[in-house]
Amino acid sequence: MTIVARHWLPGAAVVPQERGPEFLGAVDGADWSDGLGFHRGFFAAFRVRAGKSVWFHWPLPTPVETQGKPLFLHSVSLLWECLDGARIDWMTVQHGGMDRIELTPRLTSPASVSVPFEPEPDFRPWCPVTDRQLSEIALPAPLPLRFGVQLCVMISAPEGDGIVRFYGAGAAFCD
């Protein structure tokens, strides 16, 4: 099977499943972000409350066929960072809204590589120091596509409030 398409979504596309101040706290001193998160131009940040786990969903554009041939989901990618004790505790893919494929076992963070970023000096005052990580996860077997898919990421903050920043997510499709 050959990769025939890759799609990438910016951080603004992520949707938290749980909302409200009991799950999500204010981010970066912006009181209005309490319970909602902070969608910025270059990432979306969320403060997960201590002792809570919050699911975040990435609705991935899903081609199901090209030139009359069926397509398969090959892999997914996530560009992220966790701060202050937050961590990724589970990742899955959902297909058709009901079928779930586990990408990492529960209570397991994905393998990742560092993706450094150093902004131009004039832009530095508006960019926090980052520790971006890229996780690329191939499915156990290519998934025949009939419906849309979404990447689902559970973030936990077991000890104290923790921050997650999402920079984007993507998928690779094969024939």
Side-chain angles (χ1 to χ4, degrees), residues 48-128:
V48 176
R49 292 287 190 193
K52 299 290 185 179
S53 293
V54 176
W55 280 100
F56 294 90
H57 302 290
W58 294 87
L60 298 168
T62 308
V64 297
E65 169 180 306
T66 185
Q67 298 179 1
K69 295 184 202 171
L71 291 179
F72 301 79
L73 179 63
H74 175 271
S75 57
V76 295
S77 304
L78 182 67
L79 188 58
W80 59 277
E81 71 181 313
C82 287
L83 308 163
D84 303 332
R87 64 182 188 224
I88 295 177
D89 265 351
W90 205 359
M91 290 178 67
T92 67
V93 166
Q94 287 181 322
H95 178 241
M98 298 298 286
D99 295 325
R100 183 179 72 195
I101 298 169
E102 189 174 71
L103 299 174
T104 63
R106 188 165 160 64
L107 303 178
T108 303
S109 290
S112 63
V113 296
S114 180
V115 181
F117 173 72
E118 185 55 43
E120 297 292 325
D122 290 345
F123 192 48
R124 167 49 63 207
W126 293 277
C127 292

Side-chain angles (χ1 to χ4, degrees), residues 12 15 17 32 50 56 82-83 86 100 104 123 130 134 143 149 163:
V15 178
Q17 178 172 300
W32 57 264
F56 294 90
C82 287
L83 308 163
R100 183 179 72 195
T104 63
F123 192 48
T130 64
L134 177 63
L143 173 68
V149 295
I163 297 283

